[in-house]
Amino acid sequence: MAASSESILDHIPLFAKELLAGGLAGGFAKTVVAPLERLKILFQTRRTEFRSAGLSGSVRRIAKTEGLLGFYRGNGASVARIIPYAGLHFMSYEEYRRLIMQAFPNVWKGPTLDLMAGSLSGGTAVLFTYPLDLIRTKLAYQIVSPTKLNVSGMVNNEQVYRGIRDCLSKTYKEGGIRGLYRGVAPTLFGIFPYAGLKFYFYEEMKRRVPEDYKKSIMAKLTCGSVAGLLGQTFTYPLEVVRRQMQVTCFIWSAGNYRWILSNMIQS
């Protein structure tokens, strides 16, 4: 039986293995941090309601209004997105890396290669999975007890979505394909440096790990965590802009970007 499983795995293409491994790892990680991700989205989009309450007050409010499952609101869309996103990101990173090395064997080496491949793979993954990120934000933005939903799906004049399919359908009806990609511009502006820096920092730290520890899971986990933290810190303002755009229904222009940024700075 073991031999049969090994022979099946041997026949699976490398890119498919990379896609599956990256997707499963991403889905597991997102589920573990889902409560913190929900709180982060609420702090980014409902600042006047949640900033004064603080972290502990916000936790109590969600628990009282929505119960334990409230901390996982939108996690289904997050996992549905992160599996193809992480898979595509990881797989396309390796592919872009190979292509760049083949096209420029004597030029693109070391950190520059990691930065370029990481940026391109991040942009590719975003373009393919962005609508699910939008749906995840809209679902997480909602603070409502199911008993307060009226027949039309409205609470306090805010549209309430009953799930992934309902949110996807209503968002498409409101704005078509453009509606499903609202906020994609700051996402791409952020993901190119974020993904590039993340892979750059990761590869740089991995090169400095002593030879005896290079295969250690803890060493890889530490390098990945620090790389993600540094990349996220540098690009966080663009993430706030993206989240606010995703939950706002009016048409965006350059003036609207400036309006959001000025409000962020003032607050």
Side-chain angles (χ1 to χ4, degrees):
M1 190 71 178
S4 175
S5 299
E6 288 178 8
S7 63
I8 293 172
L9 288 172
D10 290 339
H11 287 87
I12 296 177
L14 179 59
F15 78 88
K17 291 179 183 177
E18 292 170 349
L19 188 67
L20 181 62
L24 290 175
F28 176 76
K30 276 293 180 183
T31 301
V32 170
V33 302
L36 290 173
E37 186 73 16
R38 174 91 198 279
L39 286 168
K40 183 182 76 170
I41 290 173
L42 291 173
F43 278 125
Q44 290 172 334
T45 56
R46 292 182 179 266
R47 291 178 298 158
T48 54
E49 299 172 59
F50 282 87
R51 182 171 293 178
S52 59
L55 182 61
S56 59
S58 300
V59 170
R60 287 195 298 271
R61 181 178 177 184
I62 294 174
K64 182 179 179 180
T65 308
E66 303 174 277
L68 180 62
L69 291 178
F71 292 99
Y72 290 87
R73 184 183 289 277
N75 188 55
S78 180
V79 171
R81 168 188 172 266
I82 201 63
I83 290 178
Y85 175 84
L88 282 168
H89 197 176
F90 184 68
M91 180 191 73
S92 58
Y93 169 74
E94 296 296 338
E95 288 299 312
Y96 281 126
R97 210 168 185 275
R98 292 186 195 109
L99 289 171
I100 293 171
M101 289 176 70
Q102 288 173 5
F104 307 98
N106 300 317
V107 180
W108 299 101
K109 290 288 176 84
T112 307
L113 173 63
D114 301 324
L115 192 65
M116 288 295 297
S119 297
L120 291 169
S121 64
T124 300
V126 162
L127 288 175
F128 276 97
T129 62
Y130 185 79
L132 282 170
D133 182 54
L134 176 70
I135 300 307
R136 189 265 185 278
T137 302
K138 288 192 169 191
L139 291 173
Y141 175 75
Q142 299 178 153
I143 293 286
V144 58
S145 170
T147 58
K148 294 183 179 179
L149 262 176
N150 63 25
V151 176
S152 61
M154 302 286 287
V155 173
N156 297 330
N157 296 320
E158 284 188 10
Q159 178 70 63
V160 175
Y161 305 103
R162 300 174 187 271
I164 298 174
R165 184 180 297 179
D166 181 52
C167 186
L168 191 64
S169 173
K170 288 176 179 175
T171 302
Y172 181 76
K173 286 178 182 177
E174 289 168 6
I177 295 297
R178 289 186 65 183
L180 292 174
Y181 277 85
R182 182 183 293 125
V184 73
T187 304
L188 287 174
F189 289 143
I191 198 65
F192 278 118
Y194 167 69
L197 287 169
K198 184 177 70 172
F199 278 108
Y200 168 77
F201 288 135
Y202 177 72
E203 295 295 341
E204 276 297 291
M205 285 186 288
K206 212 167 67 170
R207 289 188 186 102
R208 286 165 170 73
V209 173
E211 200 63 39
D212 294 341
Y213 296 96
K214 282 195 180 290
K215 294 184 179 180
S216 167
I217 294 176
M218 282 305 299
K220 292 179 180 178
L221 185 63
T222 302
C223 291
S225 300
V226 175
L229 175 65
L230 292 171
Q232 181 78 19
T233 301
F234 282 120
T235 59
Y236 186 77
L238 285 168
E239 183 184 346
V240 178
V241 174
R242 166 171 60 108
R243 296 295 187 196
Q244 293 195 13
M245 287 183 66
Q246 288 174 333
V247 298
T248 307
C249 294
F250 58 84
I251 299 173
W252 289 90
S253 65
N256 297 127
Y257 285 105
R258 289 194 295 270
W259 179 81
I260 280 187
L261 287 169
S262 65
N263 272 289
M264 286 167 55
I265 294 168
Q266 290 171 11
S267 59

Coordinates of all heavy atoms in Angstrom, one line a residue, residues 94-179:
E94 N 8.3 29.5 -7.8 CA 9.3 28.5 -8.3 C 9.4 28.6 -9.8 O 10.5 28.5 -10.4 CB 8.9 27.1 -7.9 CG 9.0 26.9 -6.4 CD 10.3 27.1 -5.8 OE1 11.3 27.0 -6.5 OE2 10.4 27.4 -4.6
E95 N 8.2 28.7 -10.5 CA 8.2 28.8 -12.0 C 8.9 30.1 -12.5 O 9.7 30.1 -13.4 CB 6.8 28.7 -12.5 CG 6.2 27.4 -12.4 CD 6.9 26.3 -13.2 OE1 7.3 26.6 -14.3 OE2 7.2 25.2 -12.6
Y96 N 8.5 31.2 -11.9 CA 9.2 32.5 -12.3 C 10.7 32.5 -12.0 O 11.5 33.0 -12.8 CB 8.5 33.7 -11.5 CG 7.2 34.1 -12.1 CD1 6.1 34.2 -11.2 CD2 7.1 34.5 -13.4 CE1 4.9 34.6 -11.8 CE2 5.9 34.9 -13.9 CZ 4.8 35.0 -13.1 OH 3.6 35.4 -13.6
R97 N 11.0 31.8 -10.9 CA 12.5 31.7 -10.5 C 13.2 31.0 -11.6 O 14.3 31.4 -12.1 CB 12.6 31.0 -9.2 CG 13.8 31.4 -8.4 CD 13.7 30.9 -6.9 NE 14.8 31.4 -6.1 CZ 16.0 30.8 -6.1 NH1 16.2 29.7 -6.8 NH2 16.9 31.3 -5.3
R98 N 12.6 29.8 -12.1 CA 13.3 29.0 -13.1 C 13.3 29.8 -14.4 O 14.4 29.8 -15.1 CB 12.5 27.7 -13.3 CG 12.5 26.8 -12.1 CD 11.8 25.4 -12.5 NE 11.6 24.7 -11.3 CZ 10.4 24.4 -10.7 NH1 9.3 25.0 -11.3 NH2 10.2 23.7 -9.7
L99 N 12.2 30.5 -14.8 CA 12.2 31.2 -16.0 C 13.2 32.3 -16.0 O 13.9 32.6 -17.1 CB 10.8 31.8 -16.3 CG 9.7 30.8 -16.6 CD1 8.3 31.4 -16.6 CD2 10.0 30.1 -18.0
I100 N 13.3 33.1 -14.9 CA 14.3 34.2 -14.9 C 15.7 33.7 -15.0 O 16.6 34.2 -15.7 CB 14.1 35.0 -13.6 CG1 12.7 35.7 -13.6 CG2 15.2 36.0 -13.4 CD1 12.3 36.4 -12.3
M101 N 16.0 32.5 -14.3 CA 17.3 32.0 -14.3 C 17.7 31.5 -15.7 O 18.8 31.6 -16.2 CB 17.4 30.8 -13.3 CG 17.4 31.3 -11.9 SD 17.5 30.0 -10.7 CE 19.1 29.3 -10.9
Q102 N 16.7 30.9 -16.4 CA 16.9 30.4 -17.8 C 17.1 31.6 -18.7 O 18.0 31.6 -19.6 CB 15.7 29.6 -18.3 CG 15.6 28.2 -17.6 CD 14.4 27.5 -17.9 OE1 13.6 28.0 -18.8 NE2 14.1 26.4 -17.3
A103 N 16.4 32.7 -18.6 CA 16.4 33.8 -19.5 C 17.7 34.7 -19.2 O 18.3 35.2 -20.1 CB 15.2 34.7 -19.4
F104 N 18.1 34.8 -17.9 CA 19.2 35.7 -17.6 C 20.2 34.9 -16.6 O 20.3 35.2 -15.5 CB 18.7 36.9 -16.9 CG 17.7 37.7 -17.7 CD1 16.3 37.5 -17.3 CD2 18.0 38.5 -18.7 CE1 15.4 38.2 -18.0 CE2 17.1 39.2 -19.4 CZ 15.7 39.1 -19.1
P105 N 20.8 33.9 -17.2 CA 21.6 33.0 -16.3 C 22.8 33.7 -15.7 O 23.3 33.3 -14.6 CB 22.1 31.9 -17.3 CG 22.0 32.5 -18.6 CD 20.9 33.4 -18.6
N106 N 23.3 34.8 -16.3 CA 24.5 35.4 -15.7 C 24.1 36.8 -15.0 O 25.0 37.5 -14.6 CB 25.5 35.7 -16.8 CG 26.0 34.4 -17.4 OD1 26.2 33.4 -16.7 ND2 26.1 34.4 -18.8
V107 N 22.9 37.1 -15.0 CA 22.5 38.4 -14.5 C 21.7 38.3 -13.2 O 22.1 38.8 -12.1 CB 21.6 39.2 -15.5 CG1 21.2 40.6 -14.9 CG2 22.4 39.4 -16.8
W108 N 20.6 37.6 -13.2 CA 19.7 37.5 -12.1 C 20.1 36.4 -11.1 O 19.9 35.2 -11.3 CB 18.2 37.2 -12.5 CG 17.7 38.3 -13.4 CD1 17.7 38.3 -14.8 CD2 17.2 39.6 -13.1 NE1 17.1 39.4 -15.3 CE2 16.9 40.3 -14.2 CE3 17.1 40.2 -11.8 CZ2 16.4 41.6 -14.2 CZ3 16.5 41.5 -11.8 CH2 16.2 42.2 -13.0
K109 N 20.8 36.8 -10.1 CA 21.2 35.8 -9.1 C 21.0 36.4 -7.7 O 20.9 37.6 -7.4 CB 22.7 35.6 -9.3 CG 23.1 34.8 -10.5 CD 22.7 33.4 -10.4 CE 23.0 32.6 -11.7 NZ 24.3 32.1 -11.8
G110 N 20.9 35.5 -6.7 CA 20.8 35.9 -5.3 C 19.6 36.6 -4.9 O 18.5 36.3 -5.4
P111 N 19.7 37.6 -4.1 CA 18.5 38.4 -3.5 C 17.6 39.0 -4.6 O 16.4 39.1 -4.5 CB 19.1 39.4 -2.6 CG 20.5 38.9 -2.3 CD 20.9 38.1 -3.5
T112 N 18.3 39.5 -5.7 CA 17.5 40.2 -6.7 C 16.5 39.2 -7.4 O 15.4 39.5 -7.7 CB 18.4 40.8 -7.8 OG1 19.4 41.6 -7.1 CG2 17.7 41.6 -8.8
L113 N 17.0 38.0 -7.6 CA 16.2 36.9 -8.2 C 15.0 36.6 -7.3 O 13.8 36.5 -7.8 CB 17.0 35.6 -8.4 CG 16.3 34.4 -8.8 CD1 15.7 34.6 -10.2 CD2 17.2 33.2 -8.8
D114 N 15.2 36.5 -6.0 CA 14.1 36.2 -5.0 C 13.1 37.4 -5.0 O 11.9 37.1 -4.9 CB 14.7 36.0 -3.6 CG 15.7 34.9 -3.6 OD1 15.5 33.9 -4.3 OD2 16.7 35.0 -2.8
L115 N 13.6 38.6 -5.1 CA 12.7 39.8 -5.0 C 11.8 39.8 -6.3 O 10.6 40.0 -6.2 CB 13.6 41.0 -4.9 CG 12.9 42.3 -4.6 CD1 12.3 42.3 -3.2 CD2 13.9 43.5 -4.7
M116 N 12.4 39.6 -7.4 CA 11.7 39.6 -8.7 C 10.7 38.5 -8.8 O 9.5 38.7 -9.1 CB 12.6 39.6 -9.9 CG 13.4 40.8 -10.1 SD 12.4 42.2 -10.6 CE 11.7 41.7 -12.1
A117 N 11.1 37.3 -8.5 CA 10.2 36.1 -8.6 C 9.1 36.2 -7.6 O 7.9 35.9 -7.9 CB 11.0 34.8 -8.4
G118 N 9.4 36.7 -6.3 CA 8.4 36.9 -5.3 C 7.3 37.9 -5.7 O 6.1 37.7 -5.5
S119 N 7.7 39.0 -6.2 CA 6.8 40.1 -6.6 C 5.9 39.6 -7.8 O 4.7 39.8 -7.7 CB 7.6 41.3 -7.1 OG 8.4 41.8 -6.1
L120 N 6.4 39.0 -8.8 CA 5.6 38.5 -9.9 C 4.6 37.4 -9.5 O 3.5 37.4 -9.9 CB 6.5 38.0 -11.0 CG 7.4 39.0 -11.7 CD1 8.4 38.3 -12.6 CD2 6.5 39.9 -12.6
S121 N 5.1 36.5 -8.6 CA 4.2 35.4 -8.1 C 3.1 36.0 -7.3 O 1.9 35.5 -7.3 CB 5.0 34.4 -7.4 OG 5.6 34.9 -6.2
G122 N 3.4 37.0 -6.4 CA 2.4 37.6 -5.6 C 1.3 38.3 -6.4 O 0.1 38.1 -6.2
G123 N 1.7 39.0 -7.4 CA 0.7 39.7 -8.3 C -0.1 38.7 -9.1 O -1.3 38.9 -9.2
T124 N 0.5 37.6 -9.5 CA -0.3 36.5 -10.2 C -1.3 35.9 -9.3 O -2.5 35.7 -9.7 CB 0.7 35.4 -10.7 OG1 1.7 36.0 -11.6 CG2 0.0 34.3 -11.5
A125 N -1.0 35.6 -8.1 CA -1.9 35.0 -7.2 C -3.1 35.9 -6.8 O -4.2 35.5 -6.7 CB -1.2 34.5 -5.9
V126 N -2.8 37.2 -6.7 CA -3.8 38.1 -6.3 C -4.8 38.3 -7.5 O -6.1 38.2 -7.2 CB -3.2 39.5 -6.1 CG1 -4.2 40.6 -6.2 CG2 -2.6 39.6 -4.7
L127 N -4.4 38.4 -8.7 CA -5.3 38.5 -9.8 C -6.3 37.4 -10.0 O -7.4 37.5 -10.3 CB -4.5 38.7 -11.1 CG -3.8 40.1 -11.3 CD1 -3.0 40.1 -12.5 CD2 -4.8 41.2 -11.3
F128 N -5.8 36.2 -9.7 CA -6.7 35.0 -9.8 C -7.6 34.8 -8.7 O -8.7 34.2 -8.8 CB -5.8 33.7 -10.0 CG -5.3 33.5 -11.4 CD1 -4.0 33.9 -11.8 CD2 -6.1 32.9 -12.3 CE1 -3.6 33.7 -13.1 CE2 -5.7 32.6 -13.6 CZ -4.4 33.1 -14.0
T129 N -7.3 35.3 -7.5 CA -8.1 35.0 -6.3 C -8.8 36.3 -5.6 O -9.4 36.1 -4.6 CB -7.3 34.3 -5.3 OG1 -6.2 35.2 -4.8 CG2 -6.7 33.0 -5.8
Y130 N -8.6 37.4 -6.2 CA -9.0 38.6 -5.5 C -10.5 38.7 -5.2 O -10.9 39.1 -4.1 CB -8.7 39.9 -6.4 CG -9.0 41.2 -5.6 CD1 -8.2 41.6 -4.6 CD2 -10.2 41.8 -5.9 CE1 -8.5 42.8 -3.9 CE2 -10.5 43.0 -5.1 CZ -9.7 43.4 -4.2 OH -10.0 44.5 -3.4
P131 N -11.4 38.3 -6.0 CA -12.9 38.3 -5.7 C -13.2 37.6 -4.3 O -14.0 38.1 -3.5 CB -13.6 37.6 -6.8 CG -12.7 37.9 -8.0 CD -11.3 37.8 -7.4
L132 N -12.5 36.5 -4.0 CA -12.7 35.8 -2.8 C -12.2 36.6 -1.6 O -12.7 36.6 -0.5 CB -12.1 34.4 -2.8 CG -12.8 33.4 -3.6 CD1 -12.0 32.1 -3.7 CD2 -14.2 33.0 -2.9
D133 N -11.1 37.4 -1.8 CA -10.6 38.3 -0.8 C -11.6 39.4 -0.5 O -11.8 39.7 0.7 CB -9.3 38.9 -1.2 CG -8.7 39.7 -0.1 OD1 -8.5 39.3 1.0 OD2 -8.4 40.9 -0.4
L134 N -12.2 39.9 -1.5 CA -13.3 40.9 -1.3 C -14.5 40.4 -0.5 O -15.0 41.0 0.4 CB -13.7 41.4 -2.7 CG -14.9 42.4 -2.7 CD1 -14.4 43.8 -2.2 CD2 -15.4 42.6 -4.1
I135 N -14.9 39.2 -0.9 CA -16.0 38.5 -0.2 C -15.7 38.3 1.2 O -16.5 38.5 2.1 CB -16.4 37.2 -0.9 CG1 -16.8 37.4 -2.4 CG2 -17.5 36.5 -0.2 CD1 -17.8 38.4 -2.6
R136 N -14.5 37.8 1.5 CA -14.0 37.5 2.9 C -14.1 38.8 3.7 O -14.6 38.8 4.9 CB -12.6 37.0 2.9 CG -12.1 36.5 4.2 CD -11.3 37.6 5.0 NE -10.7 37.0 6.2 CZ -11.4 36.8 7.3 NH1 -12.7 37.2 7.4 NH2 -10.8 36.4 8.4
T137 N -13.7 40.0 3.2 CA -13.7 41.2 3.9 C -15.1 41.7 4.2 O -15.4 42.1 5.3 CB -12.9 42.3 3.1 OG1 -11.6 41.9 2.9 CG2 -12.9 43.6 3.9
K138 N -16.0 41.5 3.2 CA -17.4 42.0 3.4 C -18.1 41.2 4.4 O -18.9 41.7 5.2 CB -18.1 41.9 2.0 CG -17.7 43.0 1.0 CD -18.7 43.0 -0.1 CE -18.5 44.2 -1.0 NZ -19.6 44.4 -2.0
L139 N -17.8 39.9 4.4 CA -18.4 39.0 5.4 C -17.9 39.3 6.8 O -18.6 39.3 7.8 CB -18.2 37.5 5.1 CG -18.9 37.0 3.9 CD1 -18.5 35.6 3.5 CD2 -20.5 37.0 4.1
A140 N -16.6 39.5 6.9 CA -16.0 39.8 8.2 C -16.4 41.2 8.7 O -16.4 41.4 10.0 CB -14.4 39.7 8.1
Y141 N -16.7 42.1 7.9 CA -17.1 43.5 8.2 C -18.4 43.5 9.0 O -18.7 44.4 9.8 CB -17.2 44.3 6.9 CG -17.7 45.7 7.1 CD1 -16.9 46.7 7.6 CD2 -19.0 46.1 6.7 CE1 -17.3 48.0 7.8 CE2 -19.4 47.4 6.8 CZ -18.6 48.3 7.4 OH -19.0 49.6 7.5
Q142 N -19.3 42.5 8.7 CA -20.6 42.5 9.3 C -20.5 42.2 10.8 O -19.9 41.3 11.3 CB -21.5 41.4 8.7 CG -21.7 41.6 7.2 CD -22.5 40.5 6.6 OE1 -23.2 40.7 5.6 NE2 -22.5 39.3 7.2
I143 N -21.3 43.0 11.6 CA -21.5 42.7 13.0 C -23.0 42.7 13.2 O -23.7 43.7 13.3 CB -20.9 43.9 13.9 CG1 -19.4 43.9 13.8 CG2 -21.3 43.7 15.3 CD1 -18.7 42.7 14.5
V144 N -23.5 41.5 13.3 CA -25.0 41.4 13.4 C -25.4 40.0 13.9 O -24.8 39.0 13.6 CB -25.7 41.6 12.0 CG1 -25.1 40.6 11.0 CG2 -27.2 41.5 12.1
S145 N -26.3 40.0 14.8 CA -26.9 38.8 15.3 C -27.9 38.2 14.3 O -28.7 39.0 13.7 CB -27.6 39.0 16.6 OG -28.4 37.9 17.0
P146 N -27.9 37.0 14.0 CA -28.8 36.4 13.0 C -30.3 36.7 13.3 O -31.1 36.8 12.4 CB -28.5 34.9 13.0 CG -27.2 34.8 13.6 CD -27.0 35.9 14.5
T147 N -30.6 36.9 14.5 CA -32.0 37.2 14.9 C -32.5 38.6 14.5 O -33.7 38.9 14.5 CB -32.2 37.0 16.4 OG1 -31.3 37.9 17.1 CG2 -31.9 35.6 16.8
K148 N -31.5 39.5 14.2 CA -31.8 40.8 13.8 C -32.0 41.1 12.3 O -32.3 42.1 11.9 CB -30.8 41.8 14.4 CG -30.8 41.8 15.9 CD -29.8 42.9 16.4 CE -29.8 42.9 17.9 NZ -28.8 43.9 18.5
L149 N -31.7 40.0 11.6 CA -31.9 40.1 10.1 C -33.3 40.3 9.7 O -34.2 39.6 10.2 CB -31.3 38.9 9.4 CG -29.9 38.9 8.9 CD1 -29.5 37.5 8.3 CD2 -29.8 39.9 7.8
N150 N -33.6 41.3 8.9 CA -35.0 41.4 8.4 C -35.1 40.6 7.1 O -34.2 40.1 6.5 CB -35.4 42.9 8.2 CG -34.5 43.6 7.2 OD1 -34.0 43.0 6.3 ND2 -34.4 44.9 7.4
V151 N -36.3 40.7 6.5 CA -36.6 39.8 5.3 C -35.8 40.2 4.1 O -35.3 39.4 3.4 CB -38.1 39.9 5.0 CG1 -38.4 39.2 3.7 CG2 -39.0 39.4 6.1
S152 N -35.5 41.5 4.0 CA -34.7 42.0 2.9 C -33.2 41.8 3.0 O -32.4 42.2 2.2 CB -35.0 43.5 2.6 OG -34.7 44.3 3.7
G153 N -32.8 41.3 4.2 CA -31.4 41.1 4.5 C -30.7 42.4 4.8 O -29.5 42.6 4.5
M154 N -31.4 43.3 5.5 CA -30.8 44.6 5.9 C -30.8 44.8 7.4 O -31.8 44.3 8.0 CB -31.5 45.8 5.2 CG -31.6 45.8 3.7 SD -30.0 46.2 3.0 CE -30.0 48.0 3.3
V155 N -29.8 45.4 8.0 CA -29.8 45.7 9.4 C -29.2 47.1 9.5 O -28.1 47.4 9.1 CB -29.0 44.8 10.2 CG1 -28.8 45.3 11.7 CG2 -29.6 43.4 10.2
N156 N -30.0 48.1 10.1 CA -29.5 49.5 10.2 C -29.1 50.1 8.9 O -28.0 50.7 8.8 CB -28.4 49.6 11.3 CG -28.8 49.2 12.7 OD1 -30.0 49.3 13.0 ND2 -27.9 48.6 13.4
N157 N -29.8 49.8 7.9 CA -29.6 50.2 6.5 C -28.2 49.7 5.9 O -27.7 50.2 4.9 CB -29.5 51.8 6.5 CG -30.9 52.4 6.8 OD1 -31.9 51.9 6.4 ND2 -30.9 53.5 7.6
E158 N -27.6 48.7 6.5 CA -26.5 48.1 6.0 C -26.8 46.7 5.3 O -27.6 46.0 5.9 CB -25.4 47.8 7.1 CG -24.7 49.0 7.5 CD -23.5 48.7 8.4 OE1 -23.2 47.5 8.6 OE2 -22.9 49.6 9.0
Q159 N -26.3 46.5 4.2 CA -26.5 45.2 3.5 C -25.9 44.1 4.3 O -24.7 44.2 4.7 CB -26.0 45.2 2.1 CG -26.1 43.9 1.3 CD -27.6 43.6 1.0 OE1 -28.2 44.3 0.2 NE2 -28.1 42.5 1.5
V160 N -26.6 43.0 4.6 CA -26.1 41.9 5.3 C -26.1 40.7 4.3 O -27.1 40.4 3.7 CB -26.9 41.5 6.5 CG1 -26.4 40.3 7.2 CG2 -26.8 42.7 7.5
Y161 N -25.0 40.0 4.2 CA -24.8 38.9 3.4 C -24.9 37.6 4.2 O -24.4 37.5 5.3 CB -23.4 38.9 2.7 CG -23.2 40.2 1.9 CD1 -22.4 41.2 2.4 CD2 -23.9 40.4 0.7 CE1 -22.2 42.4 1.8 CE2 -23.7 41.6 0.0 CZ -22.8 42.6 0.6 OH -22.6 43.8 -0.1
R162 N -25.6 36.6 3.6 CA -25.9 35.4 4.3 C -24.9 34.3 4.1 O -25.0 33.2 4.7 CB -27.3 34.9 3.9 CG -28.4 35.9 4.2 CD -29.8 35.4 3.7 NE -30.8 36.4 3.8 CZ -31.6 36.6 4.9 NH1 -31.4 35.7 5.9 NH2 -32.5 37.5 4.9
G163 N -23.9 34.5 3.3 CA -22.9 33.5 3.0 C -22.1 33.9 1.8 O -22.3 35.0 1.2
I164 N -21.2 33.0 1.4 CA -20.3 33.3 0.3 C -21.0 33.5 -1.0 O -20.8 34.5 -1.7 CB -19.2 32.2 0.1 CG1 -18.3 32.1 1.4 CG2 -18.4 32.4 -1.1 CD1 -17.4 30.9 1.4
R165 N -21.9 32.6 -1.3 CA -22.7 32.6 -2.6 C -23.5 33.9 -2.6 O -23.6 34.6 -3.6 CB -23.5 31.4 -2.7 CG -24.3 31.3 -4.1 CD -25.1 30.1 -4.2 NE -24.3 28.9 -4.1 CZ -24.7 27.6 -4.2 NH1 -26.1 27.4 -4.3 NH2 -23.9 26.6 -4.2
D166 N -24.2 34.2 -1.5 CA -25.1 35.4 -1.5 C -24.3 36.6 -1.7 O -24.7 37.5 -2.4 CB -25.9 35.4 -0.1 CG -26.8 36.6 0.0 OD1 -27.6 36.8 -0.9 OD2 -26.7 37.3 1.0
C167 N -23.2 36.7 -1.0 CA -22.3 37.9 -1.1 C -21.7 38.1 -2.5 O -21.7 39.2 -3.1 CB -21.2 37.8 -0.1 SG -20.1 39.3 0.0
L168 N -21.3 37.0 -3.1 CA -20.8 37.0 -4.5 C -21.8 37.4 -5.5 O -21.6 38.3 -6.3 CB -20.3 35.6 -4.8 CG -19.4 35.4 -6.1 CD1 -18.2 36.2 -6.0 CD2 -19.1 34.0 -6.4
S169 N -23.1 36.9 -5.3 CA -24.2 37.2 -6.2 C -24.5 38.7 -6.1 O -24.7 39.4 -7.1 CB -25.4 36.4 -5.9 OG -26.5 36.8 -6.6
K170 N -24.7 39.2 -4.9 CA -25.1 40.6 -4.7 C -24.0 41.6 -5.1 O -24.3 42.6 -5.7 CB -25.5 40.8 -3.2 CG -26.8 40.2 -2.8 CD -27.1 40.4 -1.4 CE -28.4 39.7 -1.0 NZ -28.7 39.7 0.5
T171 N -22.8 41.2 -4.9 CA -21.7 42.1 -5.3 C -21.6 42.2 -6.8 O -21.4 43.3 -7.4 CB -20.3 41.6 -4.7 OG1 -20.4 41.5 -3.3 CG2 -19.2 42.5 -5.1
Y172 N -21.8 41.1 -7.5 CA -21.8 41.1 -8.9 C -22.9 41.9 -9.5 O -22.8 42.6 -10.5 CB -21.8 39.6 -9.4 CG -21.8 39.5 -11.0 CD1 -20.6 39.7 -11.6 CD2 -22.9 39.3 -11.7 CE1 -20.5 39.7 -13.0 CE2 -22.9 39.2 -13.1 CZ -21.7 39.4 -13.8 OH -21.6 39.3 -15.1
K173 N -24.1 41.7 -8.9 CA -25.3 42.5 -9.4 C -25.1 44.0 -9.2 O -25.5 44.8 -10.0 CB -26.5 42.0 -8.6 CG -27.0 40.7 -9.1 CD -28.3 40.3 -8.2 CE -28.7 38.9 -8.7 NZ -29.9 38.4 -7.8
E174 N -24.4 44.4 -8.1 CA -24.2 45.8 -7.8 C -23.1 46.4 -8.8 O -23.3 47.6 -9.2 CB -23.6 46.0 -6.4 CG -24.7 45.7 -5.3 CD -24.1 45.6 -3.9 OE1 -22.8 45.8 -3.8 OE2 -24.8 45.3 -3.0
G175 N -22.1 45.7 -9.1 CA -21.0 46.3 -9.9 C -20.4 45.5 -11.0 O -19.4 45.9 -11.6
G176 N -20.9 44.3 -11.2 CA -20.4 43.5 -12.3 C -19.0 43.0 -11.9 O -18.6 42.9 -10.8
I177 N -18.2 42.7 -13.0 CA -16.8 42.3 -12.8 C -16.0 43.3 -12.0 O -15.2 43.0 -11.1 CB -16.1 41.9 -14.1 CG1 -16.8 40.7 -14.7 CG2 -14.6 41.6 -13.9 CD1 -16.7 39.4 -13.9
R178 N -16.2 44.6 -12.4 CA -15.5 45.7 -11.7 C -15.8 45.7 -10.2 O -14.9 46.0 -9.4 CB -15.8 47.0 -12.3 CG -15.3 47.2 -13.7 CD -15.5 48.6 -14.2 NE -14.8 49.6 -13.5 CZ -14.9 50.9 -13.7 NH1 -15.7 51.4 -14.6 NH2 -14.3 51.8 -12.9
G179 N -17.0 45.4 -9.9 CA -17.4 45.3 -8.5 C -16.6 44.3 -7.7 O -16.3 44.4 -6.5

